[in-house]
Amino acid sequence: MTQQRTVAVLGATGTVGQRFISLLADHPWFKLTALTTSERTAGKRYADAVHWHLPEPMPESVANMKLEPTRPDLGADLCFSALPTNAAEEHEAALAKAGHHVFSNASTHRMDADVPNLLAEVNFEHVKVLVRQRESRGWTGSIVTNGNCTAIHLTLAIAPLHRDFGIEQLLVSTMQSISGAGYPGVPSLDVLDNVVPYIGGEEEKVVEETQKFLGAWSHATGFEPARFPMSVHCNRVLVRDGHTETVSVRLKGSPGVRVVTESLRTFTGRPQELGLPSAPTHPIVVREELDRPQPLLDRNTERGMASTVGRIRDDPVLGLKFVVVGHNTIRGAAGASVLNAELLVAERCV
Ligand code: NAP
């Protein structure tokens, strides 16, 4: 990559915004030139406005940057959006119309018929829809979304199984970390000493986004989602970072544990072929220990960019079951967006 691209982080003070800043501070291809917040915070120095809560120090190069309001004439080519849904509704299309390439974490445009919900190893062919997006909306820029953090780790873990065998039925129960709700997030009196068995809209998102990720796109028919039935339970638990998902699945031909393990272990995609800067060497890491994966021990595997799978075993009801752990704000959000942007830059799609 010869030429650096200028990038902005939208919603830079939030949980996902901080992750973006940490991942972009020394990025070899992307130069951070703009940070945005809401009107109420704009004008302040980043270090004065943010409640920094990552363990690594705030990058010095960012501390003195001035926060700008989110507007279409931002001085950056690519925009990494960590905006809340309503702000994404207001700003992302306007930015794309003004020529920016927006990589969004908000749910606002994920299910649009002309927006690729991109998971870099899984559905790169969906970016073909960008030609239609630009033509029909009259944009010179674009919007590419990330999936929901739970859908991303679920999809990474089941994509090779759907490709190699075919999924017939899927049952998932999640234990989702509190950082998944942003900052300040879930009130401590609701979550301490507790499990909250409801996350508004989450179960529906996991179903529709997983099926979109694993579906097809063609010029003739548009997006055709994968059609296997899914049953999803989403729960909030008192873990700081990292979602855990227990998965039971019926696969065509009932392949055994050994074959399934091999399919997961050897899975790679376009980011690995291209050697992209943020690509994990192994997007799925399989652990053999009886008590792994665990969020505390496994969420940072491959710099937080992999899904860790373990406890792969026979299931008397659906045939096979296993556990998945993944970092929700890295591969589940900011890291996935940065990888999507690297892929589209490398493939000259943006
Ligand atoms: P958050 O911690 O609540 O942060 C949201 C940030 O957006 C706030 O810091 C706020 O900044 C800023 N903001 C509000 N209105 C704005 C505007 N008009 N322009 C620019 N900035 C504005 O939320 P989050 O967890 O980072 O989530 C951000 C987005 O990512 C959401 O759409 C969420 O659904 C999605 N997401 C989150 C996760 C996760 O694990 N947390 C995972 C996947 C996707 P000020 O108050 O300082 O202005």
Side-chain angles (χ1 to χ4, degrees):
M1 200 59 38
T2 49
Q3 206 192 345
Q4 269 203 336
R5 305 283 290 259
T6 54
V7 304
V9 175
L10 319 178
T13 53
T15 308
V16 175
Q18 291 180 36
R19 274 291 169 205
F20 271 126
I21 283 168
S22 171
L23 295 171
L24 291 166
D26 296 312
H27 195 282
W29 300 359
F30 301 147
K31 183 174 167 44
L32 203 45
T33 53
L35 306 177
T36 84
T37 50
S38 61
E39 295 285 348
R40 63 184 171 268
T41 321
K44 292 186 178 170
R45 261 174 91 234
Y46 185 72
D48 294 335
V50 71
H51 178 79
W52 185 261
H53 47 80
L54 296 183
E56 60 269 28
M58 182 190 309
E60 275 179 37
S61 55
V62 173
N64 279 322
M65 285 178 75
K66 194 171 160 189
L67 287 161
E68 303 177 36
T70 310
R71 37 163 229 272
D73 61 346
L74 278 180
D77 178 16
L78 312 182
C79 294
F80 290 108
S81 171
L83 294 175
T85 318
N86 53 348
E89 179 78 52
E90 186 183 344
H91 297 295
E92 289 181 352
L95 283 155
K97 188 170 183 202
H100 303 280
H101 301 290
V102 179
F103 292 87
S104 177
N105 284 273
S107 59
T108 312
H109 294 290
R110 284 181 195 149
M111 295 307 294
D112 289 5
D114 59 357
V115 172
N117 195 36
L118 183 62
L119 184 48
E121 287 89 348
V122 172
N123 62 347
F124 175 57
E125 69 282 3
H126 288 193
V127 304
K128 290 179 192 152
V129 75
L130 287 178
V131 174
R132 179 170 297 175
Q133 184 190 97
R134 290 177 184 135
E135 275 171 14
S136 64
R137 303 216 198 196
W139 292 349
T140 47
S142 55
I143 296 180
V144 171
T145 58
N146 257 4
N148 160 288
C149 39
T150 305
I152 286 179
H153 286 290
L154 173 65
T155 302
L156 254 187
I158 63 175
L161 308 183
H162 194 50
R163 180 196 63 188
D164 293 350
F165 312 108
I167 293 174
E168 291 186 329
Q169 290 176 311
L170 189 74
L171 169 64
V172 187
S173 296
T174 72
M175 287 146 273
Q176 300 183 214
S177 70
I178 49 174
S179 66
Y183 186 82
V186 192
S188 54
L189 275 180
D190 289 345
V191 74
L192 273 168
D193 190 27
N194 206 7
V195 172
V196 182
Y198 176 71
I199 303 174
E202 189 83 350
E203 292 170 357
E204 295 80 0
K205 281 185 211 162
V206 173
V207 173
E208 65 183 12
E209 293 177 23
T210 302
Q211 293 181 340
K212 184 172 179 181
F213 275 141
L214 292 175
W217 185 85
S218 75
H219 282 282
T221 58
F223 287 110
E224 287 196 82
R227 297 245 177 243
F228 53 82
M230 291 175 64
S231 175
V232 180
H233 304 257
C234 290
N235 304 286
R236 186 75 69 196
V237 297
L238 195 53
V239 167
R240 189 186 167 103
D241 288 314
H243 292 349
T244 302
E245 309 184 34
T246 56
V247 180
S248 300
V249 61
R250 186 188 303 285
L251 297 171
K252 285 184 193 145
S254 305
V257 169
R258 195 185 53 76
V259 188
V260 164
T261 304
E262 193 57 16
S263 165
L264 295 169
R265 245 192 235 292
T266 54
F267 178 67
T268 54
R270 200 71 189 123
Q272 287 72 36
E273 281 166 32
L274 295 170
L276 299 176
S278 301
T281 308
H282 301 287
I284 301 170
V285 171
V286 179
R287 307 248 11 158
E288 302 289 349
E289 300 92 325
L290 290 176
D291 60 353
R292 300 283 282 274
Q294 299 178 18
L296 186 65
L297 303 176
D298 296 302
R299 61 192 168 208
N300 290 322
T301 301
E302 294 265 14
R303 296 163 289 125
M305 288 299 286
S307 299
T308 303
V309 175
R311 303 208 65 220
I312 306 171
R313 60 213 193 277
D314 294 324
D315 177 58
V317 179
L318 291 182
L320 192 91
K321 58 187 171 187
F322 53 86
V323 183
V324 185
V325 163
H327 203 298
N328 52 296
T329 64
I330 305 180
R331 190 59 203 251
S337 267
V338 172
L339 186 62
N340 285 347
E342 290 170 2
L343 180 58
L344 267 59
V345 166
E347 297 281 15
R348 299 181 195 286
C349 301
V350 295

